[in-house]
Amino acid sequence: MESPRMIILLILTTLLALCACSSAQKNSDFLECLTIQFQSSNSAPDGVIYTPRNASYASLLLAQNQRLVPTSSERPELIITPFHESEIQAAVYCSRKLGMQIRVRSGGHDYEGLSYNSENPFVIVDMRNIRSISIDIDEKTAWVQVGATLGQLYHTLARKSKTLAFTAGVCPPVGVGGHFSGGGYGMMSRKHALASDNIIDAKLINANGQVLDRKSMGEELFWAIRGGGGTSFGIVLAFKVKLVIVPEIVTVFNVSRTLEQNATQLVHRWQYIADKVDENLLLRLFLSSIRSPIHGNRTIQASFTTLFLGRVHELLPIMQDSFPELGLVEQDCIEMSWIESTLFFAGLRNESLDVLLIRTPQTGIYFKGKSDYVRRPIPIQGLRGIWRFLNEEVENTAQLQFSPYGGVLNTFSESETPFPHRSGNIFMIHYGIFWTRGGNAESERHINWIRRLYSYMGRYVSRSPRAAYFNYRDLDLGRNAGRNTSYEQASVWGFRYFKNNFNRLVRVKSMVDPSNFFRNEQSIPPLS
Ligand code: FDA
């Protein structure tokens, strides 16, 4: 007679074997379906479909954030790296037919790894090969395919023109697909708004596998994918964007001050001018705890990292007028071309322009980020509380970014696009914590730190809702549970990212994808 423990073990083992078997069966059914679909459109599966048995599978799965590297049981059944839209259509068709989830990855920089992780059996459609960029100099527009990176876009623009540029983020390997569809804030955002504000057309594959452009998708869906994220609505293939004109010479500086150099008062004062100064000027603030080179003790360093769309002789009087306390002098400033400034802000100064084309993720770094919006200046005592938190972590591993708003961002109504963080916001806070040693205890300690800091900051930031930036995705704000997403559940995080635009996003989702084919832990739910 078997003991009850043995019986339970036997049942579990049988269930596991059945699961593994059905997953393997699903996998081979999917492969077969794809192969048939590929044959009918004259595509070759070689170099497009990767199973865990392929040598390149592991390198394709390399993640930007070590915290989110899928474990062996969480890996995708297949990775598909299409070259043609027909191959994506085939993936949509087969995954609908076989009930397999799709995760779309463009640059792979999702803060919670939702483009390459899933609790359910899934395939990754990795857009890295769909990355061409075509620029129309006369029209001052560009069609940018989603697998291109920001660095590739900047590089391509610089080779065509000295004065045409685009307004988007500072990190070159970030992908166009996720970044543009979720917002896209960068060093020119006070003058030229967000990447998503400059989208004028798009190509997308919907849940029925149809390829749509702005005209055929209609204005509601086109509205949704300009800040509401592409992921809930389809697979975006490309965006057409308005380019912006920049002066041939711009000015940058990065001036740092420690507590001993009056950093607290400077940061406090900065909050009164950052969103109001000339819109050609974006004074971003980076805060971290460092070891003082003078006395060797820990101190806080505030780095004012700035782009001015003009020459130094124009900048100095503006700074003297608006922020004389910083004591900026000509020697602090560097004049350069806009493309050189993209290298400067990416920490790649003096590198060749081709470094912008590198897309391999930096591995081995664990990371967790969060965001907040500030509508009233944080008082001095509030800043001192932040300093205490920063000093708790090892120097240079925790960082806060204060990104100023105002300027042209104020001229958009909250509902013009799904991105609602417009007039009334002084700045956005990005909280980041990085570590390099694995292990649950280590991770828990750092994640706990950032959650405690976030809880402390509650009294100083926006309320009802406590707003957050969708592109700094944070699953702490809530998540959909499984397939049966609910409006109530998603409202918890949906209103924080999108305010009242959340309701319109839900209506669009219900219209274009009522069966909730495109879904993830923070996708927009359809009304059931
Ligand atoms: P990824 O491929 O991981 O996609 C992100 C999300 O979009 C996923 O849900 C994915 O499924 C979906 N998606 C991707 N491609 C899609 C497509 N073609 N169709 C439909 N859905 C698609 N932000 C910012 O505003 N300014 C900045 O300066 C920076 N800097 C920065 C630096 C670093 C190091 C990181 C990790 C992140 C940033 N970000 C940022 C945040 C960044 O904008 C955000 O993570 C983007 O979603 C990344 O887009 P990717 O395509 O790289 O990500």
Side-chain angles (χ1 to χ4, degrees):
M1 186 75 178
E2 310 273 9
S3 74
R5 262 184 80 185
M6 278 298 286
I7 293 172
I8 292 172
L9 210 67
L10 261 169
I11 295 174
L12 277 177
T13 327
T14 319
L15 278 175
L16 275 175
L18 275 174
C19 283
C21 189
S22 72
S23 146
Q25 182 60 41
K26 233 179 179 179
N27 194 341
S28 76
D29 288 351
F30 199 91
L31 252 179
E32 195 187 319
C33 175
L34 268 186
T35 313
I36 295 168
Q37 291 298 310
F38 274 33
Q39 273 160 2
S40 66
S41 61
N42 288 329
S43 279
D46 290 351
V48 179
I49 303 174
Y50 296 85
T51 71
R53 277 195 292 275
N54 285 109
S56 315
Y57 175 91
S59 62
L60 283 171
L61 205 52
L62 272 185
Q64 202 270 335
N65 185 347
Q66 195 70 23
R67 178 173 71 87
L68 305 165
V69 172
T71 61
S72 51
S73 61
E74 295 165 336
R75 290 191 178 153
E77 311 285 329
L78 298 175
I79 303 176
I80 304 163
T81 57
F83 287 86
H84 306 290
E85 54 192 45
S86 63
E87 292 157 354
I88 305 171
Q89 289 171 307
V92 170
Y93 172 83
C94 295
S95 72
R96 269 200 98 119
K97 186 170 166 200
L98 297 162
M100 185 90 94
Q101 254 199 53
I102 283 190
R103 291 289 156 112
V104 188
R105 183 169 65 176
S106 287
H109 281 67
D110 192 280
Y111 268 33
E112 297 285 5
L114 300 193
S115 55
Y116 52 89
N117 274 293
S118 169
E119 287 153 7
N120 304 302
F122 72 114
V123 297
I124 295 180
V125 175
D126 185 311
M127 305 294 277
R128 67 184 63 210
N129 297 323
I130 310 266
R131 58 160 191 267
S132 75
I133 296 173
S134 74
I135 294 170
D136 186 328
I137 295 273
D138 298 331
E139 209 187 59
K140 299 186 183 57
T141 59
W143 269 106
V144 190
Q145 288 190 322
V146 288
T149 61
L150 303 185
Q152 187 194 336
L153 173 58
Y154 300 158
H155 187 274
T156 313
L157 282 165
R159 285 178 51 202
K160 290 262 179 186
S161 160
K162 287 191 171 127
T163 51
L164 276 185
F166 190 63
T167 172
V170 294
C171 183
V174 165
V176 162
H179 188 71
F180 285 21
S181 63
Y185 175 98
M187 295 304 291
M188 298 197 290
S189 285
R190 300 194 62 251
K191 172 81 173 181
H192 296 297
L194 310 173
S196 55
D197 294 328
N198 289 280
I199 296 172
I200 51 176
D201 203 341
K203 269 179 90 178
L204 164 142
I205 294 187
N206 70 7
N208 299 324
Q210 294 161 307
V211 181
L212 307 172
D213 64 4
R214 176 175 184 169
K215 198 158 173 239
S216 50
M217 76 177 76
E219 286 303 305
E220 280 303 284
L221 178 52
F222 183 62
W223 173 85
I225 58 171
R226 286 176 295 149
T231 190
S232 304
F233 305 99
I235 302 181
V236 183
L237 299 170
F239 288 110
K240 184 178 184 183
V241 293
K242 257 185 323 189
L243 300 173
V244 305
I245 297 176
V246 290
E248 273 191 38
I249 305 285
V250 303
T251 307
V252 305
F253 67 81
N254 185 20
V255 167
S256 296
R257 300 282 187 262
T258 60
L259 293 186
E260 297 71 23
Q261 296 165 314
N262 219 14
T264 309
Q265 281 68 25
L266 287 172
V267 174
H268 186 249
R269 172 79 192 126
W270 173 90
Q271 302 177 92
Y272 289 86
I273 57 107
D275 62 321
K276 297 180 191 68
V277 287
D278 187 315
E279 64 188 24
N280 289 300
L281 181 58
L282 192 144
L283 275 151
R284 207 170 192 181
L285 191 45
F286 291 78
L287 300 160
S288 56
S289 167
I290 60 158
R291 206 158 279 284
S292 160
I294 299 162
H295 50 63
N297 296 330
R298 293 285 287 275
T299 186
I300 297 299
Q301 176 171 272
S303 299
F304 296 86
T305 305
T306 302
L307 173 68
F308 176 65
L309 293 167
R311 306 289 301 246
V312 67
H313 69 267
E314 299 164 279
L315 168 65
L316 288 172
I318 295 175
M319 287 297 291
Q320 185 52 38
D321 191 40
S322 53
F323 197 20
E325 298 85 348
L326 186 62
L328 186 79
V329 292
E330 188 168 349
Q331 291 71 18
D332 294 323
C333 303
I334 314 166
E335 290 190 332
M336 55 178 64
S337 63
W338 167 75
I339 193 67
E340 286 166 340
S341 82
T342 66
L343 291 175
F344 179 85
F345 295 118
L348 300 168
R349 198 171 168 221
N350 301 326
E351 301 270 352
S352 95
L353 274 195
D354 288 349
V355 74
L356 291 172
L357 300 175
I358 296 175
R359 63 182 299 142
T360 18
Q362 192 184 16
T363 49
I365 294 178
Y366 296 75
F367 168 69
K368 169 76 187 160
K370 294 170 105 49
S371 64
D372 255 322
Y373 280 89
V374 177
R375 300 172 71 88
R376 280 179 300 139
I378 302 169
I380 295 269
Q381 118 235 23
L383 295 176
R384 292 208 172 108
I386 300 178
W387 305 164
R388 282 194 289 278
F389 270 96
L390 286 172
N391 278 331
E392 272 183 32
E393 280 283 336
V394 176
E395 63 257 33
N396 288 319
T397 55
Q399 189 195 61
L400 264 60
Q401 287 170 26
F402 288 3
S403 297
Y405 272 52
V408 74
L409 289 167
N410 284 353
T411 65
F412 288 73
S413 77
E414 284 197 356
S415 59
E416 201 155 329
T417 73
F419 180 95
H421 316 291
R422 307 289 183 169
S423 186
N425 290 295
I426 306 175
F427 61 101
M428 169 177 65
I429 303 182
H430 175 271
Y431 309 89
I433 175 80
F434 307 82
W435 65 102
T436 49
R437 270 204 322 236
N440 286 345
E442 187 76 3
S443 293
E444 252 170 52
R445 189 164 70 74
H446 295 295
I447 291 173
N448 189 24
W449 174 86
I450 202 169
R451 287 182 180 150
R452 282 190 297 111
L453 170 58
Y454 185 75
S455 157
Y456 164 78
M457 291 301 289
R459 69 205 84 171
Y460 300 119
V461 297
S462 64
R463 284 181 209 171
S464 309
R466 181 171 180 182
Y469 176 32
F470 179 66
N471 263 352
Y472 293 154
R473 191 196 298 287
D474 180 5
L475 286 181
D476 290 351
L477 302 181
R479 59 168 79 204
N480 296 320
R483 189 188 174 90
N484 300 319
T485 54
S486 81
Y487 173 84
E488 286 68 31
Q489 207 168 38
S491 302
V492 176
W493 47 265
F495 281 101
R496 286 166 173 251
Y497 289 139
F498 307 115
K499 297 196 181 170
N500 289 332
N501 296 327
F502 176 63
N503 284 331
R504 185 164 165 197
L505 288 169
V506 170
R507 284 199 296 275
V508 179
K509 173 75 176 180
S510 310
M511 189 170 71
V512 302
D513 184 20
S515 69
N516 206 14
F517 174 68
F518 291 111
R519 63 183 188 277
N520 66 30
E521 288 74 0
Q522 276 189 347
S523 58
I524 305 289
L527 286 174
S528 44

